[in-house]
Amino acid sequence: MLLLGHDGDLQPGEPFHTDTMIVVSINRDTNTVSMISLPRDLYVFIPNWGMARLNLAWGYGESIGWTDGGWGMMRQTLLHNFGLEAHYYAMVDFEGFERIIDQVGGVTIAVDCPIQDLLCTGAACTDGIAGNETDDDYELFTLDVGVYDMDADMALWYARSRKNTIDFDRGRRQQQLLRAIWAETKSSGMI
């Protein structure tokens, strides 16, 4: 299964990036789950296009009307480059991710190294209208080592942050969030 997070609506002529790509393998015989994050900037061969960043495959497939659209192109790209045959996918945008976190009542995350990035703290950040923010609405924020109960906004910031870390760290944090979501759904009886 492929879990995807994207950065906006697919609009003609606008870029569409699947910046989070996590391959999930479920072994029913051993009741285990394995995950591997694919770096968004990984340079791969995209069929019918050539060499490009992996996070562009979905949007390209949609834009040219590839068989099964973006999903079809992503499947072919994964198969060609990694020999991975993905059978299913689930995709969310920022709002969908935040709804999931809200639905489980937040998540508890153990932060093992300080994360530093810009955080939207101004009035425009809470007006409910995305895109109203200016540079004055952001300030440098550091999340120190510790255990945190994160709401949806903080969990999204934690998942997306990349100012002082690399993409592999970002992938690790995203998997950590998925495990925390799983733990919350199990402990609350949702699953």
Side-chain angles (χ1 to χ4, degrees), residues 69-85:
W71 169 234
M73 180 61 76
M74 182 62 79
R75 288 183 73 195
Q76 287 299 308
T77 301
L78 292 175
L79 184 60
H80 179 85
N81 290 277
F82 309 111
L84 290 173
E85 190 166 346

Side-chain angles (χ1 to χ4, degrees), residues 33-90:
V33 176
S34 300
M35 294 185 282
I36 185 167
S37 296
L38 302 173
R40 65 195 188 105
D41 290 334
L42 192 62
Y43 211 61
V44 298
F45 178 80
I46 298 176
N48 197 51
W49 189 8
M51 298 301 290
R53 289 184 358 234
L54 180 58
N55 71 339
L56 300 174
W58 187 285
Y60 177 68
E62 286 291 325
S63 70
I64 65 167
W66 190 261
T67 303
D68 292 330
W71 169 234
M73 180 61 76
M74 182 62 79
R75 288 183 73 195
Q76 287 299 308
T77 301
L78 292 175
L79 184 60
H80 179 85
N81 290 277
F82 309 111
L84 290 173
E85 190 166 346
H87 299 282
Y88 307 99
Y89 76 93

Side-chain angles (χ1 to χ4, degrees), residues 26-33:
I26 302 168
N27 186 330
R28 293 181 183 163
D29 294 333
T30 60
N31 290 322
T32 58
V33 176

Side-chain angles (χ1 to χ4, degrees), residues 9-187:
D9 294 329
L10 187 59
Q11 302 290 331
E14 295 292 321
F16 181 85
H17 305 113
T18 53
D19 283 342
T20 297
M21 296 165 284
I22 301 173
V23 178
V24 178
S25 178
I26 302 168
N27 186 330
R28 293 181 183 163
D29 294 333
T30 60
N31 290 322
T32 58
V33 176
S34 300
M35 294 185 282
I36 185 167
S37 296
L38 302 173
R40 65 195 188 105
D41 290 334
L42 192 62
Y43 211 61
V44 298
F45 178 80
I46 298 176
N48 197 51
W49 189 8
M51 298 301 290
R53 289 184 358 234
L54 180 58
N55 71 339
L56 300 174
W58 187 285
Y60 177 68
E62 286 291 325
S63 70
I64 65 167
W66 190 261
T67 303
D68 292 330
W71 169 234
M73 180 61 76
M74 182 62 79
R75 288 183 73 195
Q76 287 299 308
T77 301
L78 292 175
L79 184 60
H80 179 85
N81 290 277
F82 309 111
L84 290 173
E85 190 166 346
H87 299 282
Y88 307 99
Y89 76 93
M91 185 185 308
V92 296
D93 58 9
F94 299 152
E95 188 177 304
F97 176 81
E98 288 183 317
R99 279 197 312 264
I100 292 168
I101 299 296
D102 284 340
Q103 187 68 36
V104 299
V107 291
T108 301
I109 296 290
V111 176
D112 58 4
C113 63
I115 307 296
Q116 188 176 65
D117 209 336
L118 295 175
L119 179 67
C120 193
T121 58
C125 304
T126 58
D127 69 3
I129 303 172
N132 280 352
E133 305 90 5
T134 66
D135 289 345
D136 293 337
D137 290 312
Y138 289 87
E139 65 182 54
L140 194 59
F141 175 75
T142 301
L143 187 65
D144 289 318
V145 172
V147 176
Y148 295 91
D149 292 323
M150 294 187 182
D151 64 10
D153 289 333
M154 183 53 66
L156 182 62
W157 179 88
Y158 184 71
R160 296 187 67 222
S161 179
R162 60 180 180 257
K163 187 172 183 71
N164 74 329
T165 61
I166 60 174
D167 207 29
F168 294 109
D169 293 325
R170 189 172 178 227
R172 180 188 53 78
R173 289 193 310 270
Q174 291 167 353
Q175 289 184 30
Q176 183 185 25
L177 282 161
L178 287 172
R179 288 190 300 274
I181 291 168
W182 171 253
E184 291 295 334
T185 58
K186 281 183 64 177
S187 69

